[in-house]
Amino acid sequence: MGNELPRNTILRLSQYRRLLEKYRYLDQPYVFSHDLARILNLKSVNVRHDFMLLGITGDRRMGYNIHLLLEKINEKLGKDGVNIILIGLGRLGESVLSYLEDSSSYLKVSAIFEIDPSKIGTSHNEIDCFSITELTAFVKRGGITTAILAVPQEDVNDILPIMLDAGIKGILNYSPEQLNVPDEVIVRNVDIISSLEEINYSLSG
Amino acid sequence: MGNELPRNTILRLSQYRRLLEKYRYLDQPYVFSHDLARILNLKSVNVRHDFMLLGITGDRRMGYNIHLLLEKINEKLGKDGVNIILIGLGRLGESVLSYLEDSSSYLKVSAIFEIDPSKIGTSHNEIDCFSITELTAFVKRGGITTAILAVPQEDVNDILPIMLDAGIKGILNYSPEQLNVPDEVIVRNVDIISSLEEINYSLSG
């Protein structure tokens, strides 16, 4: 592993992997960049450039070898299951859990944390929901580094310091709050307003 | 409007706008690119480059004029309310509605569509939920072009053709399905697996 690849390439490698795993048992384990591009709504040139960054060249007549692509993507993204935690089990947290169940991935939600006593102690598809007061011990014991933050906006400022103190270094932030974190912590925002405004901009062109 | 700006710039302009609108009534309506970068977890160089693309130069001592920034961003993104529709009122659809309520934006959900009879006819913060059979007429009458797709994976293939026939040209896709759409339709996927795998990649570097 290493972090030399551009962020957009990594986001696409994750998409390729999920798609290619469905194709790996085909008799002809080859795929063309333009077919991948079409299925994933990407540009062929980006797909070919990503594969070049992986050091893989396609065969003019056959396309790219799927097993080789998967091997190289696994080297970059890792293929041992990655344990993450979910913080917040409201409607959003529940929908995140369903989403992760529906899609085969190497990510595993190993615990849920809540402040609502009526949710603490429940479990969802064998994932237990604990009190936020147990977060620090759980994270330290499990060497967890990544969390999905799906709590209401008004709770963010109470919960963020607990996460940071526990050693969380990567946060997928579902709240509209901008998280104030130290430089070494990585935050990615699921920002649906930006996405919708970008769609409208592209449609207006 | 026009679509000459890079996609990532547009995504950031949307973020700047929401932040700057909170600052517009300050006595000193100036802001530094490094402050914006810090608050939004971006790189200063990207912020400055975005503002250069808007044709705005900062003052070395004062920074950037907030009113001018907002004026130029509004020119690009538009500032008349944009009507969109939400398809699917499950846990995910409900959480999308709450998110859009919490965050001030120029986007307005003008209707919700469902196949579940128990949800049709209800309303959520004055937004009515209609049967999917009414979608075509509503979209055509309202000149709606953008939809948020938040239905379960197994319903996507039934509902997508209805959306396309009705004239939807931009889709924010919350399902793990890859949508098969004509070239002129824009799909943006809310792909949390890619985001989480990218976070883990960056942490492993």
Side-chain angles (χ1 to χ4, degrees):
Chain A
M1 301 234 247
N3 62 9
E4 79 279 20
L5 294 176
R7 180 169 158 197
N8 285 334
T9 291
I10 293 297
L11 292 169
R12 287 190 295 261
L13 292 187
S14 169
Q15 293 185 272
Y16 303 143
R17 177 159 74 175
R18 274 169 282 153
L19 185 66
L20 293 174
E21 280 177 344
K22 297 183 190 161
Y23 296 166
R24 66 190 306 173
Y25 300 114
L26 293 178
D27 277 346
Q28 284 269 71
Y30 282 84
V31 68
F32 286 104
S33 54
H34 59 257
D35 286 327
L36 282 179
R38 187 177 38 77
I39 297 168
L40 296 170
N41 295 306
L42 301 170
K43 291 180 183 158
S44 297
V45 59
N46 288 337
V47 176
R48 285 193 296 275
H49 185 249
D50 291 339
F51 293 168
M52 199 191 72
L53 292 177
L54 292 177
I56 303 178
T57 347
D59 178 283
R60 189 183 297 257
R61 288 187 313 135
M62 305 274 280
Y64 291 85
N65 183 303
I66 290 177
H67 295 147
L68 185 61
L69 284 174
L70 280 170
E71 185 187 315
K72 293 289 181 184
I73 294 174
N74 287 340
E75 272 176 27
K76 291 296 174 189
L77 300 188
K79 64 169 203 145
D80 304 322
V82 174
N83 287 320
I84 59 179
I85 56 170
L86 168 67
I87 305 174
L89 191 58
R91 291 175 301 203
L92 179 57
E94 287 186 349
S95 67
V96 168
L97 283 182
S98 319
Y99 184 98
L100 289 172
E101 271 160 41
D102 283 354
S103 15
S104 55
S105 84
Y106 291 96
L107 300 160
K108 185 180 174 307
V109 177
S110 53
I112 305 160
F113 294 90
E114 252 295 344
I115 51 174
D116 178 349
S118 74
K119 291 174 187 160
I120 296 165
T122 64
S123 77
H124 295 258
N125 300 293
E126 304 181 2
I127 306 168
D128 294 326
C129 182
F130 300 100
S131 160
I132 198 85
T133 58
E134 297 176 71
L135 187 142
T136 302
F138 188 95
V139 164
K140 285 187 195 292
R141 197 169 57 234
I144 308 261
T145 53
T146 303
I148 301 171
L149 183 60
V151 301
Q153 187 167 17
E154 59 269 24
D155 295 337
V156 169
N157 289 325
D158 293 334
I159 287 172
L160 183 60
I162 301 174
M163 296 165 64
L164 297 176
D165 281 350
I168 292 293
K169 296 287 182 217
I171 302 171
L172 183 64
N173 175 32
Y174 264 99
S175 79
E177 277 293 299
Q178 289 297 330
L179 306 186
N180 189 1
V181 299
D183 279 350
E184 73 272 17
V185 176
I186 294 171
V187 175
R188 301 292 182 239
N189 297 299
V190 181
D191 183 346
I192 70 169
I193 292 173
S194 286
S195 299
L196 287 165
E197 293 195 328
E198 188 268 327
I199 289 173
N200 285 321
Y201 175 80
S202 299
L203 290 177
S204 73
Chain B
M1 301 234 246
N3 63 7
E4 77 281 18
L5 294 176
R7 181 169 158 196
N8 285 334
T9 291
I10 293 296
L11 292 168
R12 288 190 295 262
L13 292 188
S14 169
Q15 293 184 272
Y16 303 144
R17 177 159 74 175
R18 274 169 282 154
L19 185 66
L20 293 174
E21 280 177 344
K22 297 182 189 160
Y23 297 165
R24 67 190 305 174
Y25 300 114
L26 294 176
D27 277 347
Q28 284 269 68
Y30 281 85
V31 67
F32 285 105
S33 54
H34 59 257
D35 285 328
L36 281 178
R38 184 178 40 75
I39 297 168
L40 296 170
N41 296 305
L42 302 170
K43 291 180 183 160
S44 297
V45 59
N46 288 338
V47 176
R48 284 193 298 275
H49 185 248
D50 291 339
F51 293 168
M52 199 193 71
L53 292 177
L54 292 177
I56 304 177
T57 347
D59 178 285
R60 187 182 297 257
R61 287 186 314 134
M62 305 274 279
Y64 290 87
N65 182 304
I66 289 177
H67 295 149
L68 186 61
L69 284 173
L70 280 171
E71 185 185 314
K72 292 289 181 184
I73 294 173
N74 286 341
E75 273 175 28
K76 292 294 174 191
L77 300 188
K79 65 168 201 144
D80 303 321
V82 174
N83 287 321
I84 58 178
I85 57 171
L86 168 66
I87 305 174
L89 191 58
R91 291 173 301 202
L92 179 57
E94 286 185 349
S95 67
V96 167
L97 283 182
S98 321
Y99 183 99
L100 289 172
E101 270 161 42
D102 282 355
S103 16
S104 56
S105 84
Y106 291 95
L107 301 161
K108 185 181 174 303
V109 178
S110 53
I112 306 162
F113 295 90
E114 252 294 345
I115 51 173
D116 178 348
S118 74
K119 290 172 187 161
I120 296 166
T122 62
S123 76
H124 295 258
N125 300 292
E126 305 182 1
I127 306 168
D128 293 327
C129 181
F130 299 100
S131 160
I132 198 86
T133 59
E134 297 177 72
L135 187 143
T136 303
F138 189 95
V139 164
K140 285 187 194 290
R141 199 169 54 233
I144 309 261
T145 52
T146 302
I148 302 172
L149 183 59
V151 302
Q153 187 167 16
E154 59 270 24
D155 294 337
V156 169
N157 290 325
D158 293 334
I159 287 172
L160 182 61
I162 301 174
M163 295 165 65
L164 297 176
D165 281 349
I168 291 294
K169 297 285 181 220
I171 302 171
L172 184 64
N173 175 32
Y174 265 100
S175 80
E177 277 293 298
Q178 287 298 331
L179 305 186
N180 189 0
V181 299
D183 279 350
E184 73 272 17
V185 176
I186 295 171
V187 175
R188 299 292 182 240
N189 298 300
V190 181
D191 184 346
I192 70 171
I193 292 173
S194 286
S195 299
L196 288 165
E197 293 194 329
E198 188 269 328
I199 289 173
N200 285 322
Y201 176 82
S202 300
L203 290 176
S204 72

